[in-house]
């Protein structure tokens, strides 16, 4: 292995143009492939990937529950008297604005008005599958209704009803089901109502105090399709803003649901990745500015980690074509790990001022460090969670490529821009040497302090608890949190 890296250095030392061309080709190819990688921002990817976890995820996704959003429309001043007509007027215009601003392909269903036809569909469905919905007690009741003493009066009542004007509305139901068996399962469905606080006013869904109007929107995309749903949420927010400007009265519109929560999570994940990587770069660059006075060295140190991460994403695209965005949150950690490879090479070079000697000294410990770190990350493949699996593969590949690139790229750069001897005697270099050359193992007080702290941490460690609810991993921005609390308070829904 030593001969390989030494041979690579000697070979490209005489062929700089070829080396630069290959590096550029590597960067361009990696950048192109990684740009094709699809990112999944689905928080459910943290759930177990075993049979039970997949079954639970499949039930949730296929039920369509997560694709629903519930809207609440109310007066901004809750102390005022109820004005249901004003809320109906506002909602009607809001629905019209949503339909005009949001493409039809983005909305699967918009339920804001009591639909009698939907109730008929439910009736027909139960009637056609009546044997499935009937219970043992229903058969006893059927036996009682078949008794002549009860059957004849029932049929006479229905005949009288059919002869009256009201019979026009109930004719089909009576002829299909003269014994009213379908009404038995329908009556039991009333027990499934979430809360008795919701009823109808002019065929709109209101709370009983008429201060809150509710309607529902179902996205045409699964909650996991956060890119499309983020556009839907943005368009809905714009529609609400447009509608608010058209009304002189202040009216609040809140919405909550799986789609909104998923979009909020995706936006938070992106923001956290940007912030963590940005802060890591700032801190690293600030530290390197004391260690290196040449700006090109600071850039050179960062190239292997960045190129390694890009190469890892390119390989993942070729293998899987998609990756959980959650796994990229480890990027700042990887940056801190992989930048050490570059620093090891620079530190040894400062002592020897010989590129070839540096390669001989660092290749083995650097590769051992790389292999142990990559192996540790690959062990995450044993976890039954797709997002954690993606994290392990991405981290292992990033570490591996960063180490190889550091051993190949940095020696060529040092050969092109060698460090001068006098730079080793600068004050900032001696300042760092005070810490790096200190023999901590000879300080008994420091050793005792470490042992004492270890025992203290060991004592408190068992008290650490872990969150077991998936909902606790969701991020809710202040607006969504307020909407959840407000909707829960008027519907009786639990968190």
């Amino acid at each position: 292995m030593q001969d390989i890296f030494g041979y690579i250095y000697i070979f490209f030392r005489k062929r700089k143009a070829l080396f630069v061309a290959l590096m550029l080709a590597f960067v361009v190819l990696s950048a192109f492939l990684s740009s094709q990688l699809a990112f999944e921002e689905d928080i459910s990817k943290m759930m177990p990937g075993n049979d039970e976890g997949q079954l639970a995820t499949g039930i949730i996704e296929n039920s369509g529950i997560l694709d629903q959003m519930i809207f609440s429309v109310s007066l901004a001043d809750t102390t005022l008297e109820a004005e249901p007509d004003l809320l109906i007027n506002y909602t009607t215009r809001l629905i019209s604005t949503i339909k005009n601003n949001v493409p039809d392909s983005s909305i699967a269903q918009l339920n804001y008005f009591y639909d009698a036809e939907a109730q008929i569909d439910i009736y027909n469905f139960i009637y056609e599958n009546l044997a499935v919905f009937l219970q043992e007690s229903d058969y006893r009741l059927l036996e009682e209704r078949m008794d002549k003493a009860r059957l004849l009066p029932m049929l006479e009542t229905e005949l009288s009803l059919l002869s009256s004007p009201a019979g026009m509305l109930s004719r089909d139901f009576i002829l299909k089901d003269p014994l009213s068996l379908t009404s038995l399962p329908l009556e039991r469905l009333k027990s499934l109502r979430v809360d008795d606080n919701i009823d109808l006013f002019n065929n709109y869904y209101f709370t009983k105090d008429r201060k809150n109007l509710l309607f529902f929107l179902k996205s045409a995309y699964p909650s996991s399709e956060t890119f499309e749903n983020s556009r839907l949420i943005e368009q809905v927010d714009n529609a609400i803003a447009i509608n608010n400007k058209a009304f002189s009265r202040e009216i609040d519109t809140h919405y909550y649901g799986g789609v909104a929560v998923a979009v909020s999570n995706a936006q938070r994940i992106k923001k956290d990745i940007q912030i963590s990587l940005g802060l890591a770069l700032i801190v690293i660059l600030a530290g390197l500015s004391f260690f290196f006075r040449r700006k090109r060295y600071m850039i050179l140190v960062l190239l292997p980690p960045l190129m390694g991460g890009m190469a890892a994403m390119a390989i993942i695209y070729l293998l899987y074509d998609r990756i959980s965005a959650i796994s990229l949150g480890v990027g700042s950690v990887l940056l801190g790990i992989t930048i050490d490879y570059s620093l090891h090479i620079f530190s040894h070079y400062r002592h020897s001022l010989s590129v070839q000697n540096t390669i001989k000294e660092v290749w083995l410990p650097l590769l051992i460090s790389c292999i142990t770190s990559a192996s540790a990350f690959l062990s995450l493949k044993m976890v039954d969670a797709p997002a954690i699996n993606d994290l392990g593969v991405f981290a292992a590949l990033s570490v591996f490529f960063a180490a190889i690139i550091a051993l190949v790229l940095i020696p060529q750069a040092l050969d092109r821009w060698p460090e001068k001897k006098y730079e080793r005697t600068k004050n900032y270099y001696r300042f760092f040497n005070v810490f790096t050359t200190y023999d901590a193992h000879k300080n008994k007080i420091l050793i005792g302090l470490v042992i004492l702290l270890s025992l203290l941490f060991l004592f408190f460690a068992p008290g650490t608890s872990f969150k077991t609810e998936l909902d606790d991993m969701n991020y809710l921005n202040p607006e969504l949190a307020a909407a959840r609390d407000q909707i829960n308070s008027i519907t009786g829904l639990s968190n």
Side-chain angles (χ1 to χ4, degrees):
M1 186 67 70
Q2 174 186 343
D3 293 335
I4 290 177
F5 288 109
Y7 175 77
I8 290 174
Y9 165 69
I10 295 171
F11 178 82
F12 285 114
R13 184 181 184 183
K14 301 175 182 179
R15 300 168 179 85
K16 296 293 185 184
L18 176 61
F19 180 79
V20 172
L22 289 176
M23 284 291 105
L24 288 176
F26 177 81
V27 170
V28 170
L29 182 61
S30 298
F32 173 75
L33 292 176
S34 60
S35 67
Q36 307 300 309
L37 188 64
F39 296 98
E40 294 180 336
E41 298 158 340
D42 187 1
I43 193 69
S44 67
K45 294 298 181 182
M46 297 292 290
M47 291 183 67
N50 53 29
D51 293 340
E52 293 181 359
Q54 290 179 352
L55 178 61
T57 304
I59 291 173
I60 294 172
E61 290 179 349
N62 293 327
S63 67
I65 294 174
L66 296 180
D67 308 335
Q68 297 275 3
M69 292 172 59
I70 179 172
F71 287 73
S72 170
V73 179
S74 61
L75 293 176
D77 189 350
T78 57
T79 61
L80 297 177
E81 292 293 326
E83 297 188 53
D85 292 329
L86 175 64
L87 297 183
I88 290 175
N89 185 24
Y90 175 91
T91 301
T92 304
R93 292 192 61 172
L94 176 58
I95 296 297
S96 177
T97 308
I98 290 176
K99 288 182 177 179
N100 291 333
N101 284 9
V102 181
D104 294 337
S105 59
S106 298
I107 298 178
Q109 187 178 2
L110 196 54
N111 185 7
Y112 60 96
F113 196 78
Y114 175 75
D115 188 358
E117 292 184 2
Q119 301 303 311
I120 294 175
D121 290 340
I122 294 174
Y123 177 91
N124 290 333
F125 177 78
I126 293 178
Y127 174 77
E128 292 168 0
N129 300 275
L130 194 56
V132 177
F133 291 98
L134 289 179
Q135 298 179 354
E136 185 176 349
S137 59
D138 298 331
Y139 288 102
R140 289 196 294 268
L141 184 59
L142 172 61
E143 187 176 358
E144 293 175 4
R145 289 183 179 181
M146 291 295 291
D147 184 79
K148 286 186 178 181
R150 298 188 60 180
L151 181 60
L152 289 177
M154 181 186 298
L155 293 177
E156 288 176 357
T157 301
E158 291 177 344
L159 180 61
S160 176
L161 182 61
L162 287 172
S163 303
S164 68
M168 295 179 62
L169 299 175
S170 55
R171 179 178 180 278
D172 292 338
F173 300 105
I174 293 175
L175 294 178
K176 288 173 65 174
D177 185 16
L179 296 179
S180 298
L181 296 178
T182 309
S183 63
L184 300 177
L186 281 173
E187 190 66 26
R188 284 193 290 271
L189 286 178
K190 291 182 179 179
S191 63
L192 298 178
R193 293 179 61 181
V194 175
D195 189 37
D196 291 333
N197 191 38
I198 308 299
D199 62 6
L200 294 175
F201 177 81
N202 289 345
N203 284 335
Y204 285 87
Y205 303 102
F206 271 90
T207 53
K208 286 189 175 180
D209 59 10
R210 303 293 183 259
K211 289 188 175 183
N212 299 274
L213 187 155
L214 303 176
F215 68 93
F216 308 87
L217 184 152
K218 183 177 181 181
S219 171
Y221 306 99
S223 59
S224 57
E225 296 289 339
T226 53
F227 177 77
E228 296 292 346
N229 284 325
S230 63
R231 294 199 299 181
L232 172 62
I233 294 294
E234 182 180 356
Q235 291 161 346
V236 168
D237 287 338
N238 291 337
I240 293 173
I242 293 172
N243 211 49
N244 287 341
K245 290 180 181 179
F247 275 76
S248 57
R249 300 287 298 276
E250 290 190 7
I251 297 179
D252 286 340
T253 303
H254 300 281
Y255 59 80
Y256 184 74
V259 168
V261 173
V263 170
S264 175
N265 275 310
Q267 292 173 343
R268 187 71 233 183
I269 289 171
K270 291 177 183 176
K271 189 173 182 179
D272 286 347
I273 291 174
Q274 293 170 354
I275 292 175
S276 61
L277 283 175
L279 289 175
L281 279 173
I282 291 173
V283 172
I284 289 172
L285 289 174
L288 293 178
S289 65
F290 289 98
F291 194 68
F292 297 112
R293 289 305 183 185
R294 292 186 177 186
K295 294 181 179 179
R296 62 169 64 100
Y297 281 175
M298 296 171 59
I299 298 173
L300 186 60
V301 166
L302 291 173
L303 281 180
L306 298 179
M307 292 173 65
M310 196 159 51
M313 293 172 64
I315 296 296
I316 290 174
Y317 168 72
L318 294 175
L319 295 176
Y320 309 109
D321 80 22
R322 60 185 61 246
I323 187 175
S324 171
I326 299 172
S327 65
L328 298 184
V330 76
S332 56
V333 177
L334 290 177
L335 188 61
I337 294 174
T338 54
I339 202 171
D340 285 344
Y341 301 148
S342 303
L343 292 177
H344 282 315
I345 296 174
F346 271 103
S347 297
H348 282 274
Y349 175 72
R350 281 189 157 175
H351 285 284
S352 65
L353 290 179
S354 169
V355 176
Q356 287 184 294
N357 288 338
T358 299
I359 295 175
K360 291 178 182 179
E361 292 175 356
V362 304
W363 74 269
L364 182 59
L366 195 148
L367 284 183
I368 291 175
S369 174
C370 161
I371 291 171
T372 54
S373 298
S375 300
F377 284 121
L378 281 177
S379 67
L380 296 177
K381 285 289 289 181
M382 301 176 65
V383 179
D384 282 329
I388 302 299
N389 295 160
D390 290 349
L391 188 154
V393 175
F394 172 68
L397 289 173
S398 297
V399 167
F400 173 76
F401 279 109
I404 299 300
I405 292 170
L407 285 170
V408 173
L409 176 63
I410 293 181
Q412 297 296 329
L414 290 176
D415 188 64
R416 173 66 177 83
W417 300 301
E419 187 169 0
K420 297 177 182 179
K421 291 184 179 180
Y422 71 85
E423 293 187 73
R424 297 169 55 196
T425 61
K426 294 289 186 181
N427 291 332
Y428 60 83
Y429 185 74
R430 292 200 301 269
F431 173 78
F432 280 104
N433 260 2
V434 171
F435 297 96
T436 57
T437 60
Y438 180 71
D439 293 327
H441 65 282
K442 296 180 179 180
N443 190 325
K444 295 182 179 180
I445 296 177
L446 184 60
I447 294 174
L449 182 62
V450 170
I451 294 174
L452 181 63
L453 288 175
S454 299
L455 292 174
L456 185 66
F457 295 151
L458 184 63
F459 176 77
F460 286 106
T464 304
S465 60
F466 298 91
K467 293 183 177 180
T468 57
E469 296 294 331
L470 181 64
D471 190 55
D472 292 337
M473 291 188 287
N474 285 325
Y475 167 78
L476 294 181
N477 58 42
E479 292 80 9
L480 273 181
R484 178 197 60 188
D485 296 340
Q486 193 263 350
I487 292 173
N488 284 346
S489 67
I490 64 176
T491 62
L493 293 171
S494 63
N495 296 346

